[in-house]
Amino acid sequence: MNSSESKAALPQKSGSLTEVTPFSEKGFYLSELRGRTIALALQSATGDELRSLASLLDELGQNRTRVVIVWDGGIRLRDVTPSEIEEATGAPIEPLGALESLPGRIWRLLGSATTVVVAAGVQGEFESECASVVGRLGIRKLVWVDPAGGLVHSGGARESFIDSVELQERLRDGLVAPSRASLLGVVQSLLETGVAAVNLCRIDGVADELFTYDGSGTLFTAQGYVDVRSLG
């Protein structure tokens, strides 16, 4: 999909003329996210990076897209305090607590807010606790923020799309970097247990990953993302 604005066939009658409503790539993805709840795994960020998310969260809120930020409360996000997190996101921090009661607590908060922060990683491993939060809430899309960004080929080119079958084969055959094996194992588990898509990207690339076809990181999907068939 071309990132520049194009025209779509959405005619509107105006007298004897037909007007065409402008269509944008970002508008398409916003419409796909409208009325949905997505999760954002945030394990590492500076204060400036965290504050840069504020406009994105505001835009998603205006789009009626709810965001559950799963924050690694077991460590400070590179000198970012909990109060700064609350200020940047405009949302209070909800302790993970008992998983059984988490859905009720989170959905009550989302009744009056569009963003909620869940502090995970306090009692165990952040990756596994984040997966538990997403699974317990039944969220189908997760954006995992990682300083290393998405995966890259040996030649340095970014890998934009990987489906669950290919990821499983790579993990089985040991074809992933040891430093990322644990995270990718969690991604595979999420795809196998009901999450439709996991985006892996840097924090400064979240908007591009959400609102463009090219993205900025790697999109992992339970099913193939692109289906090519003969034109009939």
Side-chain angles (χ1 to χ4, degrees):
M1 184 181 297
N2 194 309
S3 60
S4 61
E5 189 173 274
S6 59
K7 298 290 185 178
L10 299 175
Q12 295 180 344
K13 293 294 184 180
S14 177
S16 60
L17 300 177
T18 299
E19 296 180 355
V20 179
T21 302
F23 174 83
S24 70
E25 181 180 27
K26 182 177 180 178
F28 168 79
Y29 285 103
L30 280 170
S31 67
E32 288 291 297
L33 293 172
R34 189 167 297 124
R36 297 177 58 188
T37 302
I38 66 174
L40 179 68
L42 191 59
Q43 192 170 15
S44 178
T46 65
D48 288 341
E49 287 173 334
L50 189 63
R51 284 185 285 274
S52 72
L53 284 178
S55 60
L56 172 62
L57 294 173
D58 183 62
E59 188 169 23
L60 288 170
Q62 292 183 31
N63 190 57
R64 302 196 307 278
T65 302
R66 298 172 296 273
V67 181
V68 176
I69 298 176
V70 188
W71 164 55
D72 190 350
I75 59 172
R76 288 195 173 187
L77 298 183
R78 286 189 273 165
D79 299 324
V80 179
T81 65
S83 61
E84 288 178 305
I85 293 175
E86 292 180 342
E87 181 180 356
T89 61
I93 298 173
E94 177 71 14
L96 177 60
L99 282 173
E100 293 76 11
S101 64
L102 183 66
R105 288 183 280 130
I106 295 303
W107 298 129
R108 278 194 294 272
L109 289 171
L110 287 174
S112 57
T114 56
T115 302
V116 172
V117 180
V118 178
V122 177
Q123 299 176 348
E125 293 294 329
F126 174 75
E127 292 176 356
S128 60
E129 287 193 2
C130 180
S132 296
V133 169
V134 173
R136 181 68 64 167
L137 296 178
I139 295 175
R140 300 268 293 163
K141 183 176 182 64
L142 166 66
V143 180
W144 199 295
V145 174
D146 189 276
L151 303 187
V152 295
H153 294 287
S154 56
R158 178 170 55 89
E159 296 193 70
S160 296
F161 310 111
I162 298 177
D163 65 26
S164 178
V165 173
E166 182 179 355
L167 178 57
Q168 185 178 41
E169 291 173 350
R170 293 191 189 190
L171 289 168
R172 182 195 62 205
D173 298 337
L175 300 178
V176 299
S179 61
R180 313 204 83 179
S182 176
L183 173 57
L184 294 180
V186 172
V187 171
Q188 176 63 20
S189 176
L190 287 166
L191 296 177
E192 291 176 346
T193 54
V195 176
V198 178
N199 301 75
L200 178 63
C201 65
R202 291 161 47 96
I203 194 168
D204 57 3
V206 173
D208 284 341
E209 188 67 11
L210 285 176
F211 301 144
T212 68
Y213 178 81
D214 288 339
S216 66
T218 301
L219 171 62
F220 300 89
T221 57
Q223 305 295 329
Y225 186 65
V226 178
D227 185 15
V228 179
R229 287 179 269 177
S230 299
L231 181 63

